[in-house]
Amino acid sequence: MQPLSAEQTMTTRWNRKDLLGLRELSAGEINLVLETADAFKQVGTREIKKVPALRGKTLVNFFVEPSTRTRTSFELAALRLSADIINISAEASSLTKGETLKDTARNLEALHADILVIRHSSAGAPQFLAERVSSSVINAGDGAHEHPTQGLLDVYTIRERRGRIEGLNVAIVGDILFSRVARSNIFALTKLGARVTLVGPSTLVPREFEKFGVTVSHDLESVLPQADVVNLLRIQHERQRNEYFPGLGEYIRLFGLTRERAKLLKPDCLIMHPGPINRGVEIDSELADGAQSVILDQVTNGLAVRMAVLYLCGGIAA
Amino acid sequence: MNATIIRNGRIIDPANGRDEVGDLLIVDAAIADLSQLSSVNSPPNEIDARGLIVAPGLIDIHVHLREPGFAWKETIATGALAAAAGGFTTVVCMPNTSPAADSASTVTWIKDRARDTACVHVLPAGAISKNLAGEELAPIASLAHSGVVAITDDGHCIQNHELMRRAVEYARMVGLPVLDHCQDYHLVGNGVVNEGEWSTLLGLPGWPAAGEEAIVMRNILLAELCQHHIHCQHISSAGSVRLIREARARGVKISGEVCPHHLALTDASIETFDPKFKMNPPLRSERDIEALVDGIADGTLSILCSDHAPHAAFEKEVEFDKAPFGIIGLETELGLFIDILVHKRRAISIRRLVEMFTVEPARLLNLDAGTLSLGAKADVTLLDPDMEWTVDTNLFRSLSHNTPFSGWKLRGRAVRTIVAGETVFAL
């Protein structure tokens, strides 16, 4: 896939009310979000960090699955755009009283919510909502499907540090099968011309992924020397059924980014992690805080990227 | 004396090796010799069947009629109306009702209800295990005496091979065929769609073909061990077809059936996360479809059926992984099968298709049906194999409308359904 030139990007128009995933976005649309985020990132450095872009609009953070980091990031992004915000968590919603997702959505719409940000454990739940409400729907993570704003903030961070995406070698390490972050990263990175290698145990990185234009490897040490970016995914051992790998000890032995293994990395290789980190599991604690780590940049950039997404989709929904 | 004569149709009666244009006489709810026409005292009711196929009433051995317990999805009455509209004069209803059909009293209730409300013959299948729980045997001999035509835990699958072995042995004693929904619970886990490219892309839990094939293999081994027939329901994968083909070549008493959705659609349909495309077993790949078609063409798969599974709109219109499995099929299955197998893929003749809906199920379940022999019960289906029509859910007789085929243009359908001499559906 050829990334678009700057000129082509400038002419790309945003016409989506919803952001459900990155698979359906063009390279031009992804670049448009990144460029819009550039402008909003600059806002974050001002003394007054607020712009009136979404003044008078109502945003509902509808988090059926628990999340602190993503919810807070969306909340702050909406506040900086001057939107009014309500947070609804699974425990507080009527879903626990047996209300269907459809009815919950229609009730939120009846309150004239302009933007619904949804986190849900079921793949496809944001699309389900988007087909049934006129509000703008933003996917904040659905099952193992997509987490598009995480994918966007990851490519934003890489582009910020390296100046480009095209031609870079990006290794994504860990539980790929159950990871929505991995899928959104794969779609964004391949559309923008990066070479993506997925690394992890054979049970969590099935060969099926090679159909999507990426390489699958089960040998981390052979991948690290070429990598321009290493993105370490969280091992969700609290959720994983234990048949997928024998235990954390063996996982660390094969796939943990230890200090010893980090010596294989190029000096300018970026180390990323979507958080929350399991220190000493996916990544050595010192490396997480080291010079190559851009983990906190990801958090900062997430705010700018989410402002861009809310601004673009919110503008269409109006 | 009440008589009906069906004139100038192409009579296809595979049970008697008959395929010719002619007239069919029905006298007092039975097929009669044309010579009896002269002894009928009042003029017979005439049906013009020019250009149509006159077939024995079709049989669907795999439907869910939801009564007792789930009457908001379907009733025996509405399910029977849907069957009639689809060209079926006999259906076999699965035991996963509430209560399950695991006792003589529930089976008797279903039979009474069918007698009082259904316009086609409704034959109950009984459970293999108590409450379909897979833990202890249902009273299989009592079920046989109360009139079930087969036993199955459909929707569920007995995981304990020893229990299944004893069920098959016991069923042999009472002469009941065993039908099995083939699903290894460990291999399938929480899978909701075919494990493959699309499950990987969409992040939906995968249901691997091996989860079906492992149980098909188990059933082949048990059919050999117990020397009794096991019929594998809704076969969906290429591997299952290969296993059944090899076993049948060795003379094992094993068979398999195919549902239309497994021929009409692949797992690419799930791209929009629409639960109308969620069924168990799931939609699979083009390669699997080709293997199923080959299996139908060479006789490996001998039965066609719908797995008619009604669910109310509010039940299906939820998150994909939370939606119930299944689609309705009685009113679309014949059109889909004729269109795909006879017209598009040219896998079988219309004669063989009629045979697969009559002689084959009648033989499998020892049914007194599926033939136009003199004296046989006058169950007759008139087919127009070339009629083009569009699926319109507004016209459905079924209480539920959960079908992915709304708006599809199909070629071939039933135009009249006659049960015991009475027309129960006419287009």
Side-chain angles (χ1 to χ4, degrees):
Chain A
M1 252 164 284
Q2 282 294 317
L4 296 178
S5 69
E7 273 177 9
Q8 285 171 299
T9 309
M10 291 304 284
T11 60
T12 302
R13 301 263 314 264
W14 188 265
N15 57 7
R16 296 176 183 274
K17 91 174 167 72
D18 310 307
L19 180 66
L20 305 177
L22 300 186
R23 188 164 76 90
E24 56 265 33
L25 261 55
S26 67
E29 286 174 305
I30 293 171
N31 279 323
L32 181 64
V33 178
L34 302 183
E35 282 155 24
T36 310
D38 280 335
F40 284 120
K41 181 159 186 185
Q42 202 268 324
V43 171
T45 62
R46 294 184 198 159
E47 198 182 348
I48 292 173
K49 300 180 173 61
K50 207 160 175 168
V51 292
L54 294 183
R55 190 160 62 197
K57 302 252 184 190
T58 304
L59 178 141
V60 176
N61 256 336
F62 181 42
F63 277 60
V64 179
E65 198 182 59
S67 152
T68 306
R69 177 174 316 242
T70 305
R71 185 182 55 72
T72 313
S73 182
F74 268 108
E75 186 170 349
L76 196 49
L79 287 169
R80 290 197 174 169
L81 294 169
S82 306
D84 298 317
I85 302 164
I86 326 167
N87 283 302
I88 300 176
S89 63
E91 303 77 48
S93 80
S94 296
L95 288 175
T96 53
K97 298 175 192 163
E99 186 172 68
T100 64
L101 182 59
K102 181 185 174 187
D103 286 328
T104 303
R106 288 159 64 100
N107 276 279
L108 292 173
E109 194 178 37
L111 296 171
H112 305 298
D114 300 289
I115 304 174
L116 290 175
V117 178
I118 178 172
R119 158 74 57 101
H120 198 291
S121 58
S122 296
Q127 170 150 357
F128 178 93
L129 280 190
E131 287 166 1
R132 285 164 180 81
V133 298
S134 59
S135 321
S136 190
V137 175
I138 311 293
N139 181 2
D142 60 330
H145 178 223
E146 285 226 43
H147 191 348
T149 56
Q150 180 71 44
L152 289 166
L153 75 89
D154 287 343
V155 293
Y156 185 93
T157 304
I158 298 169
R159 169 180 165 277
E160 182 178 62
R161 286 300 186 108
R162 303 301 299 258
R164 66 193 165 98
I165 301 294
E166 190 182 6
L168 294 180
N169 289 316
V170 180
I172 306 175
V173 184
D175 166 11
I176 309 294
L177 181 60
F178 293 103
S179 173
R180 51 194 173 215
V181 175
R183 283 178 182 76
S184 288
N185 263 277
I186 290 167
F187 300 137
L189 289 165
T190 53
K191 281 172 202 281
L192 297 179
R195 284 189 291 271
V196 177
T197 304
L198 309 177
V199 188
S202 47
T203 46
L204 294 173
V205 190
R207 291 268 165 205
E208 204 74 32
F209 276 98
E210 294 194 328
K211 290 184 179 161
F212 314 132
V214 301
T215 306
V216 166
S217 169
H218 309 302
D219 180 4
L220 182 60
E221 284 167 24
S222 72
V223 172
L224 292 179
Q226 295 84 42
D228 297 301
V229 177
V230 177
N231 195 347
L232 301 155
L233 303 183
R234 179 179 166 77
I235 281 294
Q236 309 194 12
H237 52 90
E238 70 275 12
R239 249 196 264 173
Q240 226 104 64
R241 294 185 289 170
N242 51 15
E243 60 258 41
Y244 283 87
F245 59 92
L248 283 182
E250 191 154 310
Y251 182 85
I252 295 165
R253 189 168 309 139
L254 293 175
F255 301 107
L257 187 61
T258 58
R259 266 177 286 179
E260 197 56 36
R261 282 205 180 100
K263 290 177 187 161
L264 297 168
L265 292 172
K266 294 195 270 191
D268 60 351
C269 177
L270 307 178
I271 297 175
M272 305 178 73
H273 194 297
I277 307 172
N278 297 307
R279 286 180 184 265
V281 181
E282 305 96 35
I283 184 169
D284 177 86
S285 184
E286 284 185 27
L287 291 172
D289 305 325
Q292 287 175 283
S293 167
V294 293
I295 295 172
L296 293 176
D297 300 67
Q298 290 173 266
V299 178
T300 306
N301 292 336
L303 194 54
V305 163
R306 291 186 175 110
M307 287 173 78
V309 167
L310 294 177
Y311 169 77
L312 290 169
C313 292
I316 295 296
Chain B
M1 236 187 315
N2 187 4
T4 299
I5 187 157
I6 302 169
R7 298 265 190 210
N8 298 313
R10 175 181 166 194
I11 299 169
I12 298 181
D13 182 17
N16 293 302
R18 189 173 177 203
D19 183 353
E20 62 192 348
V21 173
D23 299 343
L24 185 75
L25 180 64
I26 298 169
V27 178
D28 287 345
I31 304 295
D33 192 280
L34 285 171
S35 63
Q36 284 187 41
L37 192 54
S38 53
S39 58
V40 174
N41 22 26
S42 58
N45 180 23
E46 298 245 356
I47 295 170
D48 180 8
R50 204 176 305 266
L52 302 178
I53 288 168
V54 179
L58 307 185
I59 303 164
D60 185 336
I61 69 162
H62 193 150
V63 306
H64 298 268
L65 299 186
R66 304 300 192 206
E67 246 188 326
F70 307 104
W72 67 89
K73 297 172 193 263
E74 191 80 285
T75 65
I76 289 171
T78 57
L81 284 169
F88 296 91
T89 58
T90 300
V91 294
V92 176
C93 59
M94 295 298 109
N96 58 338
T97 47
S98 180
D102 63 355
S103 70
S105 61
T106 302
V107 170
T108 303
W109 187 92
I110 292 169
K111 287 177 67 182
D112 288 350
R113 189 79 171 162
R115 185 197 60 220
D116 294 344
T117 68
C119 65
V120 302
H121 308 292
V122 173
L123 309 177
I128 302 175
S129 68
K130 277 183 192 161
N131 202 28
L132 310 170
E135 286 166 3
E136 48 184 326
L137 293 181
I140 293 170
S142 305
L143 291 171
H145 290 137
S146 67
V148 303
V149 295
I151 52 170
T152 171
D153 270 4
D154 183 49
H156 305 266
C157 178
I158 292 178
Q159 301 295 294
N160 178 335
H161 305 328
E162 160 65 8
L163 184 70
M164 186 66 175
R165 178 228 168 130
R166 299 307 171 197
V168 175
E169 279 180 345
Y170 200 84
R172 186 190 64 192
M173 173 183 77
V174 295
L176 275 182
V178 178
L179 321 178
D180 196 27
H181 165 119
C182 304
Q183 177 177 352
D184 182 296
Y185 288 179
H186 284 102
L187 280 168
V188 172
N190 60 350
V192 290
V193 296
N194 183 39
E195 182 177 305
E197 186 176 342
W198 283 98
S199 68
T200 307
L201 199 58
L202 299 177
L204 285 167
W207 194 135
E212 173 177 293
E213 291 150 10
I215 298 295
V216 168
M217 191 70 237
R218 182 271 306 262
N219 289 344
I220 289 167
L221 297 173
L222 292 185
E224 284 183 286
L225 179 65
C226 307
Q227 286 299 302
H228 188 54
H229 196 104
I230 303 178
H231 173 74
C232 299
Q233 297 177 287
H234 43 49
I235 289 301
S236 68
S237 89
S240 297
V241 179
R242 181 175 49 77
L243 289 167
I244 294 170
R245 179 181 290 124
E246 288 168 2
R248 283 167 72 95
R250 283 190 291 116
V252 180
K253 295 175 178 176
I254 193 91
S255 56
E257 68 186 26
V258 183
C259 303
H261 41 274
H262 290 128
L263 300 178
L265 297 163
T266 68
D267 56 354
S269 307
I270 61 176
E271 183 171 8
T272 59
F273 295 97
D274 185 340
K276 282 201 191 78
F277 297 97
K278 180 178 176 182
M279 51 282 276
N280 192 11
L283 300 174
R284 299 203 189 273
S285 68
E286 188 59 45
R287 192 181 70 88
D288 292 299
I289 291 178
E290 280 162 21
L292 292 173
V293 171
D294 289 347
I296 291 166
D298 73 10
T300 299
L301 301 168
S302 50
I303 301 282
L304 303 173
C305 63
S306 63
D307 193 5
H308 180 80
H311 293 292
F314 74 89
E315 296 172 301
K316 267 299 222 193
E317 201 180 349
V318 296
E319 299 89 322
F320 192 94
D321 58 350
K322 295 187 166 68
F325 289 99
I327 61 168
I328 55 169
L330 278 167
E331 293 173 80
T332 47
E333 97 176 89
L334 195 57
L336 286 162
F337 279 131
I338 295 175
D339 199 19
I340 294 168
L341 292 173
V342 179
H343 295 311
K344 293 214 173 83
R345 300 208 181 230
R346 298 179 183 278
I348 53 171
S349 65
I350 191 77
R351 200 196 82 79
R352 173 61 184 159
L353 181 133
V354 168
E355 187 172 55
M356 292 180 77
F357 274 121
T358 55
V359 175
E360 294 283 5
R363 182 161 51 208
L364 176 70
L365 303 185
N366 309 310
L367 304 179
D368 180 20
T371 169
L372 299 175
S373 302
L374 293 181
K377 186 171 55 194
D379 294 342
V380 184
T381 301
L382 270 55
L383 305 172
D384 183 340
D386 293 309
M387 181 185 284
E388 296 189 352
W389 61 289
T390 302
V391 177
D392 180 356
T393 54
N394 293 318
L395 302 177
F396 279 3
R397 277 79 174 167
S398 174
L399 265 191
S400 292
H401 290 178
N402 52 312
T403 176
F405 300 115
S406 179
W408 278 43
K409 290 182 171 41
L410 300 176
R411 188 170 158 209
R413 62 164 301 149
V415 296
R416 184 184 288 265
T417 307
I418 298 168
V419 174
E422 298 293 329
T423 292
V424 293
F425 166 79
L427 193 62

